[in-house]
Amino acid sequence: MGQIGREYLEMPVVKKIAAAREIAWVNPGLVPWEEALSRLGIGGEDIDDAQERLKRFAPFILKCFPETKDRGGIIESDLAVIPSMKEYLNHLCKGAVSGSLLLKKDSHLAVAGSVKARGGIYEVLKHTEELAVSAGLLTQQDDYSKLASDACREFFSQYTIQVGSTGNLGLSIGIASAAVGYRVVVHMSADAKQWKKDMLKSHGVTVVEYASDYSEAVKNGRRESDADPKSYFVDDENSRNLFMGYAVAARRLRGQMEELGIAADARHPLFVYIPCGVGGAPGGIAFGLKELWGDHVHVFFVEPTQAPCMVLGMATGLHSGICVQDVGLTGQTHADGLAVGRPSGFVGKVMEPLLSGEFTVDDWRLYEYMRALLRTEDIFIEPSACAAFEGPLKLLQSEETRKYLEERGLMGRLGEASHIVWATGGSLVPEDERKAYENTILKP
Ligand SMILES: *Cc1c(COP(=O)(O)O)cnc(C)c1O
């Protein structure tokens, strides 16, 4: 504490955040999508580029990860209607969730079992394409499955990929990089679970452990990587590549919504709730959603009350210039995937004109949502991912978001609304860890 100006610390929302209270925050910077887009300096063509690249790599993915066969080498998750979970939430909030409630199951993405399978794997592949093309091993017209040959693996083995991670990004980068043939070093923060470290080691990945938090792991990883000209650092705090990999999600979601007969337009508002750590995953997804549905989609992030770095950065406008420790919070949370103290400056700036708002949630609720989803829908997702359920529950209950709905004339449209809860991880959690989660009951 101490370096942050008084004027920030005295903002009412910052006081609530500092007191670790659950809050709803509506972004005062939100502007109509067309206006936002004109300011951003990134656009749909960047998402097209990422989408095309992932298509080129599909034959390679298919070869390395046969579990992607059903989708022809495209790593994608299901969109599921969850009416029984809606009933459960409505029981908690006296019927406040109307319209349909859906779960985007990135928790079950192939290869990495979390949302990181989007951005993380995409960035490794993009780097791989650049290296292979400049070495004359590949042209964009080739069948990319040739990259799985012994000669190519031999070539990639001279290069190193490094990343700092709270766990899931490390898993995604580690597994993908090992598949290409790289040497991989993952710098893991103290929050990272032992099973994630063990799983990485089983893929031949070098795991460096830190007693400190995520920012420290990133800083060291970056330093070590920068010292080696043949090493590439995946920079979760600033990477545009990760961001665009995540953004592709919306294109694929559109088709899935059409299949389910779900519309997002002036008469059918779409609300999307995404758990947020450093911001890359939810930010990229949000950008992709806005690019497709503009003002008809309302995106809210959800963070733990002890690690609400993105809302702190956005509410003060300081972005990566402020961290949760600056306002006296610990940064420690059971939501290990969200245990980030300082937000991405790049993502915060991009979100300024397009994010609808944020909610924060106490850790004890995560386990309640987790058990409820398991009981009502027989779906397991990890505690971090459960943060998103706070969104539909609080949308109508919080004064701030009620006002947001009223001002936009959305109150009368909620019966035709859809709410998508973005499940960001869980399918790789080992059975004994799952059981331990199921038995964890925290005090409110
Ligand atoms: C990484 C992660 C997030 C958030 O992604 P960021 O890019 O850190 O904001 C959410 N949920 C889970 C399970 C994650 O692993």
Side-chain angles (χ1 to χ4, degrees):
M1 290 180 93
Q3 299 98 325
I4 300 300
R6 254 207 130 89
E7 69 275 26
Y8 297 112
L9 298 175
E10 280 169 6
M11 292 171 69
V13 63
V14 174
K15 281 190 176 164
K16 281 193 226 163
I17 292 171
R21 281 172 53 195
E22 288 184 336
I23 62 155
W25 173 77
V26 167
N27 176 16
L30 174 67
V31 296
W33 169 244
E34 287 304 322
E35 188 186 332
L37 184 62
S38 68
R39 278 197 228 159
L40 288 178
I42 49 175
E45 60 288 359
D46 299 299
I47 309 178
D48 295 339
D49 180 54
Q51 192 175 15
E52 287 308 311
R53 184 165 292 106
L54 288 168
K55 277 190 199 149
R56 291 197 291 278
F57 270 100
F60 172 77
I61 298 278
L62 182 60
K63 196 158 185 181
C64 298
F65 303 104
E67 67 267 34
T68 61
K69 194 175 99 215
D70 290 351
R71 288 187 163 94
I74 294 293
I75 299 171
E76 193 44 71
S77 70
D78 291 336
L79 176 67
V81 186
I82 46 169
S84 306
M85 185 65 181
K86 180 184 160 188
E87 217 170 284
Y88 165 83
L89 291 178
N90 270 333
H91 185 69
L92 294 182
C93 67
K94 303 186 184 68
V97 186
S98 49
S100 39
L101 183 68
L102 300 115
L103 190 72
K104 181 58 179 158
K105 291 170 73 179
D106 279 7
S107 45
H108 293 69
L109 279 174
V111 183
S114 82
V115 68
K116 306 297 194 308
R118 297 184 184 281
I121 294 175
Y122 173 70
E123 179 147 1
V124 170
L125 297 179
K126 182 161 192 278
H127 178 63
T128 300
E129 187 180 59
E130 281 160 9
L131 284 178
V133 168
S134 60
L137 290 171
L138 183 75
T139 72
Q140 292 198 359
Q141 287 67 46
D142 286 348
D143 175 344
Y144 278 29
S145 62
K146 74 190 272 192
L147 293 172
S149 69
D150 288 346
C152 286
R153 289 186 62 82
E154 177 76 28
F155 167 76
F156 292 117
S157 69
Q158 358 154 28
Y159 296 95
T160 305
I161 306 276
Q162 307 203 42
V163 65
S165 173
T166 61
N168 285 341
L169 184 64
L171 274 184
S172 140
I173 302 275
I175 295 172
S177 304
V180 177
Y182 294 111
R183 247 193 87 225
V184 199
V185 185
V186 176
H187 302 261
M188 288 280 212
S189 62
D191 320 280
K193 302 269 189 243
Q194 189 58 43
W195 68 265
K196 294 183 183 174
K197 298 175 189 166
D198 295 342
M199 192 178 281
L200 280 173
K201 288 177 194 161
S202 78
H203 284 264
V205 171
T206 304
V207 176
V208 184
E209 301 179 37
Y210 295 84
S212 50
D213 82 345
Y214 167 80
S215 311
E216 202 58 29
V218 170
K219 201 160 84 193
N220 269 291
R222 186 186 288 126
R223 191 170 50 221
E224 285 191 19
S225 185
D226 288 350
D228 175 357
K230 287 202 161 175
S231 174
Y232 179 81
F233 184 68
V234 177
D235 186 352
D236 197 18
E237 290 175 328
N238 297 291
S239 171
R240 278 163 202 254
N241 294 330
L242 281 173
F243 189 87
M244 290 304 163
Y246 291 121
V248 172
R251 306 283 178 97
R252 310 219 184 116
L253 182 71
R254 178 164 59 182
Q256 295 180 323
M257 284 175 52
E258 279 164 11
E259 269 170 38
L260 292 173
I262 292 166
D265 54 34
R267 288 187 17 241
H268 305 85
L270 174 62
F271 296 89
V272 183
Y273 312 94
I274 319 172
C276 179
V278 74
I285 294 167
F287 174 68
L289 292 168
K290 295 299 277 191
E291 197 261 334
L292 281 185
W293 288 293
D295 299 326
H296 306 314
V297 62
H298 308 271
V299 186
F300 292 87
F301 292 171
V302 189
E303 295 183 283
T305 47
Q306 283 293 341
C309 64
M310 184 57 69
V311 67
L312 195 57
M314 289 194 68
T316 57
L318 294 172
H319 299 301
S320 54
I322 190 166
C323 69
V324 302
Q325 286 80 10
D326 287 333
V327 300
L329 295 172
T330 61
Q332 284 169 12
T333 164
H334 283 247
D336 53 328
L338 315 180
V340 179
R342 190 180 294 281
S344 157
F346 161 62
V347 173
K349 287 230 170 57
V350 175
M351 291 301 108
E352 250 170 24
L354 61 81
L355 187 69
S356 289
E358 284 233 20
F359 298 94
T360 63
V361 58
D362 284 334
D363 281 7
W364 69 271
R365 290 189 202 273
L366 305 178
Y367 294 101
E368 303 302 324
Y369 294 144
M370 189 201 74
R371 277 187 285 273
L373 186 67
L374 198 54
R375 201 169 57 235
T376 59
E377 304 283 350
D378 198 24
I379 300 172
F380 173 83
I381 65 175
E382 64 187 86
S384 296
C386 293
F389 283 112
E390 191 70 1
L393 193 75
K394 291 285 169 71
L395 185 71
L396 267 174
Q397 285 186 302
S398 305
E399 215 182 295
E400 291 82 354
T401 41
R402 270 190 90 91
K403 199 161 145 245
Y404 174 96
L405 298 172
E406 281 162 6
E407 283 172 1
R408 286 165 178 76
L410 293 169
M411 279 298 196
R413 303 237 172 265
L414 294 178
E416 289 89 57
S418 301
H419 304 268
I420 297 181
V421 168
W422 212 282
T424 44
S427 65
L428 290 190
V429 176
E431 196 52 40
D432 53 333
E433 294 281 332
R434 243 178 234 214
K435 283 278 164 288
Y437 283 153
E438 281 170 43
N439 293 323
T440 303
I441 297 176
L442 302 181
K443 287 221 167 68

